[in-house]
Amino acid sequence: MTLAQAQRRQQSREGIASVIETRRLILRAPRLADAEAIAAVANDLRIAENTARLPHPYGVKDAEAFVFEASRGNCEAAFLITLMSGEIVGVCGITTAERRGPELGYWVGAPHWGHGYATEAARALIGHAFTNQGHATLSARVRVSNPASRRVLEKCGFQWSGVELRRIRAIASAAPFDRYQLDRGLWASITDWGKTLARAHC
């Protein structure tokens, strides 16, 4: 599939693509028109070195490849994290390619750190995964040297389950990552889903 075909497919799916709104954010499917803005936010080693898959430098072609993969919808539900104004602040998603089951992932651009956007987006996506996608559990992994991301998971109810080495593409090396797990029953017991997901259109 070419990028042009992916764009047409994305446009054809636009009416049914999931859009999740929270108090301050909109989570929506990425489009090819977003590629330049995505690259501008993602081209930061501070982000890439704390994720497994982001390359560095990160250019428009990388962003187009991300949109292309997201449009295929094979193993991942990917969302842009945007402000109500439309400004892109990061990316989040649920990956189901690995044998361990569905996994939550996210990153937020450095200019937007410290505002609670990652936690707000993660909570909304967790609610979407459990209520709309029917998942029973979610896993997540975070680099051990990234306490801010660990706090996001802990505030969302994730429980630590171990440590593993994982290769980081941006630094071409492996580093230890903390593993976390969240059960739908625990999430239901600690979260008011109605407040977490203000509106979800699927």
Side-chain angles (χ1 to χ4, degrees):
M1 181 186 297
T2 66
L3 282 173
Q5 289 171 326
Q7 185 174 31
R8 287 194 294 272
R9 179 173 178 176
Q10 186 69 36
Q11 289 170 343
S12 71
R13 294 175 58 196
E14 199 166 284
I16 59 172
S18 296
V19 176
I20 303 170
E21 297 182 25
T22 70
R23 184 173 62 87
R24 300 180 296 170
L25 304 173
I26 297 174
L27 278 57
R28 64 166 176 83
R31 310 181 187 105
L32 282 177
D34 300 314
E36 188 172 341
I38 294 170
V41 180
N43 188 29
D44 188 329
L45 182 59
R46 292 172 295 177
I47 299 171
E49 67 185 4
N50 282 302
T51 68
R53 295 188 293 171
L54 281 185
H56 185 78
Y58 190 104
V60 173
K61 293 295 184 183
D62 298 300
E64 289 175 346
F66 160 68
V67 175
F68 173 78
E69 287 300 318
S71 72
R72 295 174 65 185
N74 293 335
C75 301
E76 184 168 12
F79 295 85
L80 294 184
I81 305 169
T82 76
L83 301 179
M84 292 297 177
S85 65
E87 180 181 0
I88 295 170
V89 302
V91 169
C92 61
I94 303 291
T95 304
T96 55
E98 298 188 14
R99 293 182 180 179
R100 70 178 67 244
E103 180 177 351
L104 171 72
Y106 54 85
W107 60 263
V108 169
H112 303 286
W113 291 352
H115 298 287
Y117 295 145
T119 302
E120 188 170 334
R123 285 175 173 161
L125 192 54
I126 291 165
H128 174 69
F130 285 150
T131 59
N132 299 320
Q133 294 185 315
H135 295 309
T137 61
L138 287 174
S139 65
R141 290 178 283 184
V142 56
R143 193 171 177 183
V144 297
S145 58
N146 188 358
S149 193
R150 283 203 308 273
R151 285 196 295 271
V152 169
L153 295 178
E154 290 164 357
K155 284 189 288 186
C156 290
F158 276 86
Q159 297 179 315
W160 185 85
S161 62
V163 179
E164 66 181 42
L165 283 178
R166 194 176 190 194
R167 185 168 180 79
I168 300 174
R169 180 178 177 184
I171 63 174
S173 183
F177 277 69
D178 285 311
R179 295 196 311 266
Y180 283 84
Q181 194 85 10
L182 179 61
D183 175 85
R184 182 168 54 192
L186 175 60
W187 171 254
S189 71
I190 64 175
T191 307
D192 182 342
W193 293 17
K195 292 180 180 178
T196 301
L197 283 179
R199 291 187 298 276
H201 311 286
C202 299

